[in-house]
Amino acid sequence: MPLQGGPLNSSLVLEEIMGSLLVITPAVFGLIFAFFMYKKINRIQLYRATRGQDDDDLLMRRMESVDELESGSNGGDQYRKLRQIYRDIQEGAKAFLAAEYRMCVYFLAAMGVFISIFVSRTDDGWDFKVGSLTAFAFVVGGVTSMVSGYIGMMIAVFSNARCTMNAAKESNSEAWKESFNCAFRGGAVMGFALSGLGLLVMYFIMICYTGAFSIQGGEAVKLFECIAGFGLGGSSIAM
């Protein structure tokens, strides 16, 4: 029996590893690709006559001094207005998300308790394990959606100003091409980051939940019923 069980166990372990890689690899690739697209967008400068590349926070601190240098040039007022609009939209977006996410936290807490109670009620009695795990998956799904929403909002504001800079180029063909590429890359950051993050979080929840259910004993259905709370939480916040 040991001789027969050894290769069988090895085969099962190999299948689990391959299955995990099929889920983790695309998710990690999506996050890496999103970061790569972000760096491409970050190369577009919102100021002129300066050297080197700055991250967004350092750029914001240097804007006032750069505006003074450009005020004497023909296009200085236009670029200064663009940066001012960029700052205002960024601050407004953060204030909006802060107010919205406060309400989302209350919603997740209330719905989490509601789901925990009503999902626990079954035909055979009360199953608080299923109810609590479903509620936890719901909250994690909602938080994941909130993080994805923040990333999407910030990259949209971040890329919009840089898309405008590219559209202001003298060559029409170059302006069309570069502004489209910037907008497309901004959407790619949001899409790939959201997909990769959601896939990773859901996978690790499934891994954690396998310890609470006997897959061999036929409880796989209960496991995935609990995981369904993740999708419910994410879609609820998205709406």
Side-chain angles (χ1 to χ4, degrees), residues 57-206:
D57 292 334
L58 180 58
L59 170 62
M60 300 294 284
R61 291 195 297 268
R62 295 183 56 185
M63 279 181 178
E64 295 299 331
S65 60
V66 174
D67 287 338
E68 294 178 358
L69 294 175
E70 291 187 346
S71 59
S73 61
N74 295 330
D77 292 337
Q78 297 177 2
Y79 285 104
R80 183 168 55 202
K81 185 65 174 179
L82 183 147
R83 288 190 290 268
Q84 182 61 49
I85 294 174
Y86 171 55
R87 287 195 293 265
D88 293 342
I89 294 176
Q90 189 178 58
E91 292 175 0
K94 290 181 178 179
F96 166 76
L97 289 178
E100 182 186 34
Y101 284 176
R102 278 196 296 269
M103 299 302 297
C104 289
V105 169
Y106 299 147
F107 171 78
L108 289 177
M111 283 297 297
V113 174
F114 178 85
I115 291 173
S116 177
I117 295 175
F118 282 88
V119 173
S120 298
R121 180 61 179 176
T122 64
D123 295 336
D124 299 328
W126 293 89
D127 191 346
F128 290 104
K129 181 177 72 172
V130 173
S132 59
L133 291 180
T134 304
F136 179 77
F138 171 82
V139 173
V140 173
V143 173
T144 303
S145 183
M146 291 167 63
V147 173
S148 300
Y150 181 84
I151 294 174
M153 181 71 79
M154 291 299 102
I155 193 59
V157 176
F158 185 81
S159 59
N160 280 346
R162 288 157 177 80
C163 182
T164 304
M165 288 291 293
N166 283 337
K169 291 185 176 181
E170 296 181 0
S171 175
N172 287 334
S173 60
E174 187 73 11
W176 277 101
K177 183 184 73 173
E178 293 300 326
S179 58
F180 173 82
N181 288 339
C182 181
F184 189 84
R185 288 164 182 161
V189 172
M190 180 177 64
F192 279 92
L194 185 151
S195 301
L197 181 64
L199 191 58
L200 276 181
V201 174
M202 185 180 68
Y203 173 76
F204 283 113
I205 289 181
M206 292 174 61

